[in-house]
Every structure is written in C-alpha cells, then in structure tokens.
Amino acid sequence: QVIVDNRAAGIIPVVTVTNAPADGYTVLIFGSVVWLAQYLQDNVPFEPMRDLAPITMVANSPNVLVVHPSLPVKSVRDLIALAKARPGVLNYASSGPGSSSHLAGELFKSMAHVDIVRVNYKSIALAFNDVLTGQVHMMFATTGSVAAHLSRGTLRALAVTSLEPSQLMPGLPTVAATGLPGFESGSKVSMFVPAKTPEANIRRLNQEAVRYLHAAETKERFLKIGVEAIGSSSAELVAAMQSEMSRMGGVIKSAGIRAQ
C-alpha cells in the first residue's frame, strides 16, 4: 500500500522526508530543486548529499529551444552568431525565477558568451504567447507545449536541451551537438529516502522502481505526458546531481537568480 502525501510547494516536502524515520517507508519523489535549492535561496535547512539517500532518477523532461519564424536562424550556431553580432538585442521569455526555462536561458548565455535579454512573465502561458506573436524572439519551452506549433510552422525548433537526442522530439538535434558541447538542461524528477536508511531497503526500492520504469508500458505512458522514464542506479543519480550542481551553481550565482 502506498499513501501519497502531496505537500505544499517549495522545499517543505524535502524537509519532511529528511526528518522522517530512516526505515525506507517514507519516500521523496521530487524535482531538481532538491539539489539546486542551496544556490537559489538562503538558509536551506538540509544538505542533499548528507541528509538524503538517492534511489533512482525517475524521469527527465528536457526543454526545446524554439524561436519565432521571423528570426533569421536555422540552427544553434546561427543563433549564437546572430546574438554575438547583436549584443543586447535578442531576448528570451521565461516564467518565474529559477524555473526550468529561466535556468536553461541563463546557462545558454553563459556557455555561448552572448548577451541575450531575459523577459520575465508571471506564467509560462503568458511567456509562450509573446513568443508566438513575435514580441519575444526565443524560449526554452516544454516539449508538450510546442508540438502543435512546430507542425503548423508558427514556431521553429532549433534543438533539444537533453545531452542525448530525445524520444520526445524525434529527429531534433541537441544543443550540445550543434553549438555548445556539454550543454544540458531540463526538469529531472528523482526518488530519495532519508539518509541512514538501511542499504538493503535502498537496494530493494531501487530494484522495484527500475523494474517498473524500464517496462515498455511505463515508458510509453510517460512519453504521452511529455517526460522520459529513466530508472537509473543510485550511483548514476549521484553523478547527475553532482554534474548539475557543478554546471548550474555558478550560473545561478553569476546571474543573481533567487527563487520566489
């Protein structure tokens, strides 16, 4: 029997699990704010590598770099060249501070060494509307939100932000392969238990979760809602966390990003 305890937003669910008994019966399924919170806000009451035991990466949802068709670019390299030729002229839309679209945009600026202006919106829907009308040049959008617009030609996709090509966007190259080697961004959801949970419990949780996530039916179900089922080892999740903290920590600090 599994009881879902859907707590408030922010870091409250994380704190709840770090304070729970370390018996393997209280599980956290949460996004990458688990390991990025320390960069986005002050006085975070937990340290992910110390207070949580990683089980598996559950799912990943990369962004898609899209531009309005009026922008004279067909690739990531074209976009970087245009941005360098017109510093401070191009802009990108994103929702709230620390959102996936925001972090992807700032990572792109940092790695490409370009000056592209962020236009902040209260909601992702408002941001999306202004890209569709051409008031804003570009955006790092979710895969599910762009499919219909790509087929109609109202948006142009340049690349996907996963490190490897994504089943969510078949045939679309990655940002990493078309201009910015090593670029990776997106929304990751992972599973944790409190630190000091017995190793036997951690192994059992990993085995059962991975078995489910690797099933063809599960993968198909996840793709339909716009995410890729992963099912990693605990060690692979740790490596992904360390990589993202290394990649994004400095970007968040230099851009002065603070979560609301």
Side-chain angles (χ1 to χ4, degrees):
Q1 184 181 15
V2 178
I3 299 172
V4 177
D5 185 1
N6 194 11
R7 295 287 177 121
I11 62 173
I12 293 174
V14 185
V15 175
T16 300
V17 173
T18 59
N19 292 327
D23 55 13
Y25 286 91
T26 302
V27 176
L28 174 71
I29 299 179
F30 214 66
S32 51
V33 70
V34 170
W35 55 84
L36 294 181
Q38 59 191 310
Y39 305 108
L40 293 167
Q41 59 190 88
D42 298 324
N43 303 316
V44 175
F46 62 87
E47 205 292 307
M49 295 298 187
R50 180 195 66 204
D51 300 326
L52 292 168
I55 302 299
T56 185
M57 185 180 296
V58 175
N60 182 43
S61 179
N63 295 116
V64 182
L65 172 53
V66 295
V67 299
H68 190 267
S70 63
L71 202 66
V73 298
K74 296 292 180 67
S75 69
V76 172
R77 290 187 181 90
D78 289 347
L79 179 61
I80 293 172
L82 183 64
K84 287 184 175 180
R86 303 179 186 177
V89 174
L90 300 186
N91 51 33
Y92 80 94
S94 78
S95 54
S99 64
S100 176
S101 58
H102 184 193
L103 295 181
E106 293 303 317
L107 180 63
F108 184 87
K109 289 168 57 179
S110 174
M111 292 184 67
H113 305 290
V114 293
D115 180 10
I116 298 176
V117 179
R118 177 189 178 224
V119 182
N120 183 40
Y121 291 84
K122 291 182 178 179
S123 73
I124 201 68
L126 292 173
F128 200 76
N129 286 340
D130 276 6
V131 178
L132 283 171
T133 59
Q135 296 184 62
V136 180
H137 298 116
M138 56 184 280
M139 181 179 181
F140 289 86
T142 60
T143 58
S145 67
V146 300
H149 298 289
L150 297 179
S151 62
R152 289 198 293 263
T154 48
L155 286 176
R156 178 184 299 135
L158 301 186
V160 66
T161 64
S162 50
L163 199 56
E164 301 293 335
S166 172
Q167 295 181 64
L168 294 165
M169 287 279 123
L172 192 65
T174 66
V175 175
T178 55
L180 291 180
F183 184 97
E184 182 186 8
S185 183
S187 299
K188 297 177 175 64
V189 175
S190 301
M191 179 185 292
F192 302 88
V193 289
K196 299 183 181 179
T197 297
E199 282 297 323
N201 298 44
I202 292 174
R203 286 195 300 270
R204 177 68 185 277
L205 284 168
N206 176 267
Q207 289 168 0
E208 296 298 334
V210 168
R211 179 177 61 83
Y212 172 76
L213 292 166
H214 285 186
E217 180 183 352
T218 303
K219 289 182 175 294
E220 183 179 353
R221 184 181 300 174
F222 275 43
L223 288 174
K224 286 181 179 178
I225 60 171
V227 297
E228 296 174 312
I230 303 298
S232 70
S233 68
S234 298
E236 287 169 336
L237 173 54
V238 170
M241 292 168 63
Q242 292 173 332
S243 174
E244 188 154 283
M245 286 189 288
S246 174
R247 189 169 61 253
M248 294 307 308
V251 172
I252 291 170
K253 183 176 181 180
S254 64
I257 302 172
R258 309 301 292 167
Q260 292 181 335

